[in-house]
């Protein structure tokens, strides 16, 4: 397919848009638009979510079953995920402070498991 056909009038803008929108995930255009996020499939995102949930469940179990005088366990860090190049800009400090995660206390976790 020659893209010059669009300029020559042999390829409609609609057909060109359809061809570009259905490019494979590993195409140069997708990589330019989405960065390394183009490499991640739905399965990869789901697996990362499963790993995060499993780590969180293990952390909850260990926190509930530890000695009360022991140091609190560090909350597990999520699996790093790629950011899209076209992602929204980073939120300001007020949105970041509102979105901070508060770790539940051992008493709250014990109530959850009872």
């Amino acid at each position: 397919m020659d893209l010059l056909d669009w300029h020559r009038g042999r390829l409609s803008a609609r057909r060109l848009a359809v061809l570009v929108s259905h490019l494979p995930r590993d195409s140069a255009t997708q990589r330019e638009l989405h960065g390394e996020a183009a490499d991640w499939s739905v399965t990869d995102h789901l697996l990362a979510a499963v790993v995060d949930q499993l780590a969180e469940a293990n952390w909850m179990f260990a926190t509930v079953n530890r000695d009360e005088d022991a140091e609190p366990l560090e909350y597990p860090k999520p699996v790093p995920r790629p950011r899209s190049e076209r992602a929204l800009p980073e939120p300001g400090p007020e949105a970041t402070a509102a979105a901070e995660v508060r770790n539940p206390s051992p008493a709250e976790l014990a109530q959850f498991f009872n």
Side-chain angles (χ1 to χ4, degrees):
M1 164 128 333
D2 188 3
L3 290 180
L4 288 177
D5 286 345
W6 184 71
H7 292 288
R8 294 178 188 136
R10 293 186 218 148
L11 180 66
S12 70
R14 179 176 182 212
R15 176 73 176 146
L16 179 61
V18 167
L19 290 171
V20 170
S21 66
H22 289 90
L23 285 171
R25 187 176 274 287
D26 60 347
S27 69
T29 303
Q30 293 290 352
R31 284 186 154 278
E32 182 64 31
L33 290 174
H34 303 290
E36 65 180 13
D39 293 333
W40 276 54
S41 67
V42 172
T43 305
D44 295 328
H45 283 284
L46 289 172
L47 284 172
V50 167
V51 168
D52 289 345
Q53 292 294 314
L54 185 59
E56 191 173 307
N58 287 336
W59 173 82
M60 281 191 237
F61 180 81
T63 300
V64 169
N65 292 307
R66 70 178 175 81
D67 186 23
E68 291 180 11
D69 299 328
E71 288 281 323
L73 299 172
E74 185 177 334
Y75 192 78
K77 292 180 175 61
V79 172
R81 289 161 174 80
R83 284 184 43 111
S84 174
E85 297 299 320
R86 294 175 52 192
L88 295 174
E90 289 292 321
E94 64 282 345
T96 305
E100 285 185 23
V101 176
R102 183 186 71 81
N103 294 335
S105 69
E108 290 171 328
L109 287 173
Q111 286 177 344
F112 175 78
F113 285 107
N114 287 333

